[in-house]
Amino acid sequence: MTERGLDGSVPPADTAAFCASLTTALRRNGVPTSPDRAGRLAEALRLLPPADRTTLYWACRVVLVSDREQLPVFDAVFAAVFGSATGLVPDPAEHRGDPHHPPWSGQGATERPTGASSPSDHRPVPETALPPGMFPGRDGVGSGEGPLRESVLLMASGQERLHHTSFAELTEEETAVVRHLVRRIVLSTPVRDSRRTRRSARSSSRLDIRRTARTARRNGPDAARLVFAQRRPKPRRLVLLCDVSGSMESYTRVFLSLLQGAAAGARAEAFVFSTRLTRITRQLAVRDPDTALARAAAEVRDWASGTRLAESLHRFIDDYGRQGMARGAVVVVISDGWAQDDPAQVAAQMERLRRLAYRIIWINPRKVAVGYQPLAGGMAAALPYCDAFVSGHSYSALAEVAAAIRSDRSPGSGLRTNQFTRQRTR
C-alpha cells in the first residue's frame, strides 16, 4: 500500500522532511506548531523509530498536540497524510479496551483498521506496518541498533504543559495564564559595596576615624575605643532591553510581562526597541499589569517593525548608559539578533556596552531550536561580548534567565570560543 501526502504525492522517507511537512499542515489548519516542535518530533522519531502507524500516530500526537481542542484537527490532518479510507488512525477507546468509552471525536479519522474488533471483544487493534526504511533506525534498518525499545508515553497536566510550552505556541488564554506567572518571577542581581557604611564589630574592617573621634570626645579622658565600619551591600542595577520588532512579535507579550514585574518589583530600568529605542520604565512601574502594558503600548510608536540593533544600543549608551545607568549594572538584551544594521556596527556598540556593564545577558528564544547556530549578522557580532546566552523561550526556561542575572561575574567572563563564537579581545 502506498502512502499519499496532502497533495497526493508520496511523502519522502526523510524523517526531517516528514516532520516539517506534518507541522506545516497542522499550522495551516490552525494548530500552533512551530519549527521547534518539528525539531523535537524529529528527535523523538530518531530515538524511538516507529514500527507501525499506530506508534507513529501516538508519537506525533504527544509531541505536537498541546490541547484537547486540537485533537479533531490533528486527527484529520494525520488521516489526510496517511489516507483515512484505509483506517490508519486507531481508536483510542479500542486501544485501551474500554467498552464504555464514548466514540472518538476525530473527524474523518476514526476509521478502524480492516479486521479491527469491536470494543467488547477486548482484542488489540491490528498494527499496520510502515514501509521498510521510512524511518532509519527502526528494527536496525539503516543503523547498527537492535530491535525497537519499549517506551512509555506520559501526558502532562495542563499546568505542567504550560511550563514547558514555547511562548510562540501559546493560545490567547494560555498566554494570559503564563503572563500572570511571569510577573511573579523575582529577578535579583549580585550585590556590590556602596559608598555608605555601617558600624562593624569586626576589627578586620576599615577603621572609622570620624566615629572613633566622636566616641573619644564623649568619653573624655577615658581611653578611646576604636570603631570599625564596613560598606553596606547594595544590589546592582538591572537594565532590560527588549526587542519588539516583527520577528519577535510572538514572544513580545510574555517578555513585556517580565519587564513589568522587574520594573515594579526590582526597580529595574526597562527599554524596548525596534527601529528606535523607547524607555518605558515609568509606564511599567505601576502595580496593575493591564494599566502598565496599555501605557507602554501607547508610548511605543514602532511596534512590530524592523530592527535597528546597533542604533538602539548606540542611543542607550549615549543617552543613558554613559550617564551612569549601565555602569556596574546587569544589562539584559532580549532579541533574536535579526538586525538590519551592519554587524561591524553591532560589535562596536556591544564593545562599548561591555566596558560599562558588570554583566551582559542575552536572551534569544530561537536558541532552543534543534541545530541552532547564531549565524544572523547581529547575533553573531554581539555574542562574543555576552557573559551568558540563554533561550528563555518558555516559563521553565526563565529559571535559567533568573540564575544568569543573579550570578556574579567570574574572572575572564564573556563567552569563550566554541563552535560558533570567537574569542573576545579586551
Side-chain angles (χ1 to χ4, degrees), residues 293-360:
L293 295 181
R295 293 171 58 184
E299 184 71 18
V300 180
R301 304 298 182 184
D302 56 343
W303 204 281
S305 57
T307 306
R308 296 287 185 182
L309 180 58
E311 185 164 336
S312 299
L313 291 174
H314 176 78
R315 182 181 173 187
F316 168 74
I317 295 171
D318 286 355
D319 296 350
Y320 304 98
R322 294 177 60 186
Q323 308 302 321
M325 183 178 293
R327 295 187 183 276
V330 177
V331 179
V332 180
V333 182
I334 307 173
S335 176
D336 54 13
W338 294 357
Q340 301 174 350
D341 311 89
D342 184 358
Q345 297 179 0
V346 176
Q349 299 305 319
M350 287 295 297
E351 187 175 8
R352 295 179 63 200
L353 182 61
R354 173 73 272 173
R355 290 195 291 264
L356 294 172
Y358 177 75
R359 276 173 61 86
I360 299 178

Side-chain angles (χ1 to χ4, degrees), residues 123-138:
R123 289 190 301 221
V125 176
E127 304 291 358
T128 307
L130 293 173
M134 182 174 181
F135 293 100
R138 173 170 57 89

Side-chain angles (χ1 to χ4, degrees), residues 158-159 161-167 170-185 253-255 257-258 393-396 398:
Q159 188 78 358
R161 179 182 57 81
L162 289 182
H163 286 184
H164 300 281
T165 302
S166 175
F167 297 147
L170 299 175
T171 63
E172 291 290 337
E173 295 77 10
E174 293 171 343
T175 300
V177 175
V178 172
R179 286 172 57 187
H180 176 71
L181 297 175
V182 168
R183 283 193 297 267
R184 298 165 58 185
I185 296 177
R253 291 176 298 174
V254 178
F255 283 132
S257 297
L258 181 67
H393 67 287
S394 64
Y395 178 75
S396 60
L398 292 180

Side-chain angles (χ1 to χ4, degrees), residues 91-104 112 118-122:
D91 188 336
E94 290 186 353
H95 196 64
R96 289 193 299 266
D98 183 2
H100 304 291
H101 195 280
W104 202 15
R112 295 172 184 168
S118 63
S120 60
D121 292 337
H122 295 274

